[in-house]
Amino acid sequence: MKKKVLSILSLSMVFWMNAQEKDSLNQKKIEEVVITGQYMQQSINKSIYKVEVIDAEQIKNMAATNAADVLNQTLNIQITPDTNSGNSTANIMGLGGDYVKILIDNIPVVGDTGLGSNIDLTKISLANIERIEVVKGSMGVEYGNGALAGVINIITKKSSTRKVSVRAVLQEESVRDGYNLRKRGKGRHIQNVNIGYNIDNNWFTNISFNHNQFMGYEGEKAGYKYFGDRPIRGYEWNPKDQYEANALIRYTKNKTSFFYKISYLNEKFNFYNPVSTREPLNDGHGGATYLATDREYNTNRWLHQFNIQTNLGHIRYMGDFSYQKQDRKFFDYTYDVPNRTKISEKPENSYYKTDVIYSRGMFSNFLDSKKFDFQLGYELDYTNGYASLIAGDFFEESVKRKIFTYGTFLSAEWNISDKFSLRPGARLSVSENFDNQFNYSLSSRLKTSENSNLRGVFGTANRYPTYDELYTSFINLNHDIQGNPDLKPENGYSLGLFWDQGFSAGNGWKLNYSLEALYVDLKDKIEMVMVKRPSTYKFMNIDQYRSLLFAANANIVKDQFRFGVRTSLNGISVSKQDMDVSSPKDFQYNFQAGANVSYKLNNINTAFNLYYKYTGPSRLYVLANESFRLGRTDGFHMMDFVVSQPFWKDALELSVGVKNIFDVTSLNSTANVGNAHTAGSDRLNLYYGRSYFARLMYQF
């Protein structure tokens, strides 16, 4: 019912706004800029860091619906789904979501376990996204805790060239071979509407609504209706239903601008127990039914953000202030499967709950000089966290903790000449729970020609231990798993070299290409270690992780034709210890390649877009039978194809296509050894297979 109401609302908004005044503000298209790691909004070519940008046009051409869909096409970023929890997190160069900082408009996003790290990217819709910026490597000076493998900064739209702008989208997708619209049906159903309004030359406002309903994927299981003796009830990918609303107001005049943004997300996630139990009815006729204990998770997330940029004399100030909260609740209920009814329902409790007050401020341009500038900044994070007993297997009772972390950082940018810039930086982070952390960075950019840059970047970062690592206590007949309150933060660094070159080859042909080399080194990595045979485990700072990346990229543009190719070789070395055995320290390499092709027909503007990504086999040392062996995960190919046709003076656009053409679902893997709780699986679930989609978009 909610889905139908939202669809009607979207269409009503479109027809009402179509009668309103059209474009009255003609603003010039500016050069592509980035903000991640910058003193102020900066041209991408002049950025001191190597920033990868995925812009709104690319996102639209992909027919992506959330941040996970987009980033899956990026080399050396693998979106890792958890089909039980419904969360999908980013893995960069082999390091998981705990080591990747996720930002929205330069502010870390709240998640189940804290701020900015281990964020579910399927909860970030693309209804009002201007671009996504990606920086690989350690960014501890600029972004603090958890920014060790890289930073993903999602930038929302805050302006429009039109007096009134409207975009409404209806998108329907199959989930492998299943699709229908009815309740508890199959497929994926997306509706969103976005409305922007320039009140006058200074004020702009925007609202957006988004609904994304995923009906689940059964795979080898039999769905929620199944009952019987086999444990195959439920879904390989559980259903989830998301509603999101956003509102923004922005003011700009002279050298001052500010905006306030509010966002609300509601997500319902269903877990269906694979086991149903036969229960006699005691009706005198030998009747029986089948009961299952199922669970429903309900997540509510509020994001409030205020940003101001202004000048205090000639000193430039940029301040971010945010209050965020996320509460993931759950309740269990007994379900009569044959009769499709709930028999009983337990009270709803919080699973993970996080409240955050966050602020980040930066002062720069102290000397009012283009030759030399320095930036002084602060960052504070007050997190009030809660994790239930069932979420983390904590000892006796749920874990509550309050963390106050304060960081101050200083950097200087020295333009030694028109061609060479240097930026050193340092940061002190103070926490009431852990020892002081110091991070350093040194970045440089050399303009080797008019359209060529060489960048060298060194940076350090740290990661604080999580709830589970500190406080877990799980003991039964077969397990003894202990957290470690004495854990110290992990520390690492990265060293990168990036070169890019662009030129025009005549007759309208344009070419740019780049080379990258990046090394990441992480010490004191926290792992669960066997401390006593056969089943006593404890979290300890014991492992070392190293990752080495070489990459080459090229792009060709000619009129309506675009072609890009990317390749990379990533080597990973993990030094693991367990009792009296240690793993080898040699690098295991993984090759990746990707390509994208787009072409638009001049006369009718039909657009064709093809996206391809190959991920080669990967190898990792794993512990088995008291010794380390080399486990292997198969490689795979991903390909999406999208055709778009505009109508009605480009106000209406129909797109159709196929995603995951090679029908990838799960991979063979001997590198999954599980953990102290569960046995490893010989399959790695990544996707739910090939899907077909159609999208109808109206915009003006």
Side-chain angles (χ1 to χ4, degrees):
M1 181 64 186
K2 288 182 180 179
K3 179 174 64 179
K4 293 179 181 178
V5 170
L6 187 57
S7 299
I8 294 170
L9 175 63
S10 301
L11 293 175
S12 300
M13 288 284 190
V14 168
F15 292 128
W16 179 79
M17 296 302 286
N18 191 33
Q20 305 303 305
E21 182 180 3
K22 295 266 182 125
D23 185 0
S24 65
L25 297 175
N26 294 315
Q27 300 177 1
K28 294 180 180 179
K29 183 179 179 181
I30 61 173
E31 185 180 1
E32 186 175 35
V33 296
V34 293
I35 65 172
T36 307
Q38 310 302 317
Y39 284 9
M40 59 180 294
Q41 200 164 253
Q42 179 70 274
S43 161
I44 189 170
N45 289 324
K46 295 180 180 178
S47 166
I48 199 79
Y49 291 106
K50 173 63 176 176
V51 183
E52 301 174 43
V53 177
I54 307 168
D55 62 29
E57 184 68 17
Q58 292 173 281
I59 293 170
K60 180 177 78 70
N61 291 341
M62 291 179 184
T65 59
N66 58 53
D69 292 345
V70 172
L71 292 167
N72 247 333
Q73 290 289 347
T74 304
L75 255 60
N76 302 298
I77 296 181
Q78 178 63 52
I79 302 303
T80 306
D82 184 334
T83 57
N84 289 321
S85 71
N87 292 346
S88 294
T89 57
N91 179 305
I92 294 182
M93 295 175 61
L95 287 169
D98 285 332
Y99 304 90
V100 180
K101 199 85 167 188
I102 306 296
L103 317 172
I104 296 181
D105 293 321
N106 244 19
I107 288 184
V109 187
V110 68
D112 285 339
T113 57
L115 189 67
S117 299
N118 213 27
I119 301 300
D120 177 16
L121 292 168
T122 67
K123 289 187 175 72
I124 301 177
S125 75
L126 303 174
N128 191 39
I129 301 300
E130 181 176 287
R131 65 187 184 274
I132 298 175
E133 299 178 2
V134 180
V135 179
K136 296 186 178 77
S138 300
M139 299 280 287
V141 170
E142 288 82 2
Y143 295 105
N145 174 49
L148 207 146
V151 170
I152 298 171
N153 197 359
I154 297 160
I155 312 300
T156 58
K157 294 178 182 176
K158 305 174 192 69
S159 63
S160 174
T161 59
R162 299 175 180 268
K163 179 70 175 179
V164 176
S165 59
V166 175
R167 178 181 178 185
V169 176
L170 299 176
Q171 184 165 325
E172 296 293 316
E173 298 186 11
S174 67
V175 174
R176 208 172 191 194
D177 55 354
Y179 173 79
N180 60 52
L181 271 170
R182 64 183 175 85
K183 185 179 180 182
R184 300 244 182 161
K186 297 181 179 180
R188 197 175 180 188
H189 316 292
I190 301 105
Q191 311 93 39
N192 66 65
V193 61
N194 186 290
I195 303 168
Y197 179 57
N198 277 298
I199 301 171
D200 56 30
N201 290 331
N202 305 119
W203 290 92
F204 170 77
T205 187
N206 176 274
I207 58 172
S208 64
F209 304 92
N210 187 71
H211 177 220
N212 190 334
Q213 184 178 35
F214 174 67
M215 306 303 295
Y217 171 60
E218 294 176 2
E220 298 297 322
K221 295 189 177 180
Y224 79 99
K225 298 178 183 178
Y226 172 84
F227 56 92
D229 297 330
R230 299 170 61 198
I232 59 171
R233 180 175 174 267
Y235 297 82
E236 285 189 1
W237 292 72
N238 289 298
K240 63 195 303 185
D241 196 8
Q242 295 176 343
Y243 288 87
E244 185 179 26
N246 301 275
L248 174 141
I249 187 163
R250 185 188 189 212
Y251 173 82
T252 303
K253 188 174 182 179
N254 299 327
K255 295 182 178 181
T256 297
S257 67
F258 63 80
F259 71 84
Y260 168 73
K261 182 175 64 178
I262 182 172
S263 174
Y264 170 71
L265 171 81
N266 172 263
E267 178 188 84
K268 182 174 77 171
F269 178 80
N270 299 101
F271 173 77
Y272 295 99
N273 199 319
V275 177
S276 57
T277 306
R278 187 179 186 276
E279 296 289 339
L281 294 176
N282 299 319
D283 57 0
H285 301 287
T289 189
Y290 282 81
L291 303 180
T293 301
D294 295 337
R295 177 173 294 176
E296 181 177 305
Y297 295 93
N298 289 287
T299 300
N300 290 287
R301 183 182 72 193
W302 286 94
L303 307 179
H304 299 267
Q305 178 179 350
F306 177 77
N307 169 274
I308 183 168
Q309 300 181 48
T310 189
N311 279 20
L312 307 173
H314 63 264
I315 297 175
R316 188 181 302 115
Y317 170 70
M318 182 169 68
D320 290 303
F321 306 87
S322 178
Y323 171 66
Q324 306 179 45
K325 62 184 297 183
Q326 179 164 304
D327 190 358
R328 190 178 197 201
K329 296 183 177 181
F330 76 98
F331 66 90
D332 293 332
Y333 60 92
T334 302
Y335 191 69
D336 186 331
V337 184
N339 296 302
R340 316 275 172 78
T341 57
K342 289 183 181 179
I343 301 300
S344 62
E345 184 177 304
K346 293 184 178 180
E348 188 175 53
N349 295 296
S350 287
Y351 189 77
Y352 277 117
K353 184 177 181 181
T354 309
D355 290 82
V356 177
I357 297 173
Y358 175 87
S359 179
R360 185 172 186 258
M362 294 175 293
F363 300 86
S364 60
N365 200 38
F366 286 89
L367 304 179
D368 196 19
S369 168
K370 294 182 179 180
K371 188 81 172 178
F372 183 83
D373 189 15
F374 67 92
Q375 175 180 263
L376 178 64
Y378 73 88
E379 183 180 47
L380 61 88
D381 163 17
Y382 176 77
T383 298
N384 187 359
Y386 171 89
S388 72
L389 176 65
I390 197 168
D393 296 319
F394 304 119
F395 179 64
E396 290 184 352
E397 60 183 18
S398 303
V399 169
K400 299 179 181 179
R401 64 171 185 166
K402 296 180 180 180
I403 297 177
F404 177 75
T405 302
Y406 175 79
T408 183
F409 52 95
L410 175 67
S411 65
E413 190 162 304
W414 183 16
N415 295 310
I416 298 174
S417 69
D418 292 339
K419 295 184 177 181
F420 185 59
S421 301
L422 196 66
R423 185 197 288 185
R427 179 189 186 104
L428 168 65
S429 295
V430 179
S431 170
E432 57 186 354
N433 299 78
F434 304 101
D435 292 338
N436 294 346
Q437 300 295 304
F438 296 91
N439 288 301
Y440 312 93
S441 66
L442 179 63
S443 306
S444 62
R445 182 179 72 92
L446 174 65
K447 185 177 179 180
T448 52
S449 70
E450 186 61 30
N451 296 301
S452 174
N453 291 285
L454 178 65
R455 294 176 173 88
V457 181
F458 167 80
T460 69
N462 62 270
R463 183 185 79 87
Y464 294 122
T466 64
Y467 283 121
D468 291 9
E469 294 163 346
L470 291 167
Y471 303 118
T472 290
S473 182
F474 179 74
I475 302 173
N476 62 18
L477 291 176
N478 301 312
H479 303 88
D480 183 349
I481 306 166
Q482 299 296 321
N484 186 354
D486 297 323
L487 288 172
K488 59 184 180 181
E490 300 176 352
N491 283 279
Y493 70 89
S494 69
L495 182 63
L497 194 63
F498 309 90
W499 178 72
D500 58 82
Q501 169 78 55
F503 61 88
S504 297
N507 200 25
W509 288 93
K510 295 181 180 179
L511 171 66
N512 66 72
Y513 50 90
S514 62
L515 298 173
E516 304 177 11
L518 181 63
Y519 174 73
V520 175
D521 191 298
L522 172 61
K523 293 180 172 62
D524 297 322
K525 192 172 186 296
I526 299 170
E527 290 287 351
M528 187 188 296
V529 179
M530 181 183 289
V531 293
K532 183 179 180 181
R533 293 191 176 96
S535 57
T536 301
Y537 296 85
K538 188 175 184 178
F539 285 98
M540 298 179 68
N541 294 96
I542 197 167
D543 289 352
Q544 181 182 10
Y545 183 99
R546 296 178 296 162
S547 185
L548 184 61
L549 173 69
F550 299 99
N553 311 296
N555 294 282
I556 300 172
V557 178
K558 172 68 163 70
D559 299 328
Q560 304 297 320
F561 172 75
R562 296 174 182 270
F563 174 71
V565 61
R566 310 175 303 279
T567 61
S568 72
L569 185 66
N570 183 204
I572 295 176
S573 167
V574 183
S575 173
K576 292 186 175 182
Q577 299 182 45
D578 203 88
M579 294 289 288
D580 53 355
V581 294
S582 300
S583 68
K585 297 181 181 180
D586 55 320
F587 281 88
Q588 298 298 320
Y589 288 90
N590 166 252
F591 176 74
Q592 295 187 20
N596 58 281
V597 184
S598 66
Y599 183 73
K600 183 180 287 187
L601 300 177
N602 278 329
N603 296 332
I604 57 176
N605 289 329
T606 306
F608 302 89
N609 289 278
L610 181 71
Y611 301 93
Y612 169 75
K613 179 180 177 181
Y614 169 69
T615 302
S618 61
R619 294 169 178 82
L620 181 70
Y621 284 103
V622 294
L623 184 67
N625 299 322
E626 300 180 11
S627 64
F628 283 94
R629 62 171 175 80
L630 194 59
R632 182 184 189 274
T633 300
D634 285 353
F636 62 97
H637 302 264
M638 291 293 294
M639 183 181 286
D640 299 345
F641 180 61
V642 183
V643 181
S644 301
Q645 178 62 59
F647 300 95
W648 198 14
K649 296 181 180 180
D650 295 341
L652 194 67
E653 183 178 275
L654 175 66
S655 301
V656 295
V658 55
K659 299 180 180 181
N660 194 350
I661 291 174
F662 295 107
D663 198 27
V664 179
T665 54
S666 58
L667 307 177
N668 293 316
S669 178
T670 59
N672 294 328
V673 293
N675 53 41
H677 295 268
T678 59
S681 169
D682 60 356
R683 302 290 293 175
L684 177 64
N685 257 352
L686 283 183
Y687 308 100
Y688 51 75
R690 185 186 301 117
S691 64
Y692 301 89
F693 77 90
R695 178 185 67 193
L696 185 63
M697 180 173 65
Y698 181 86
Q699 60 183 352
F700 70 90

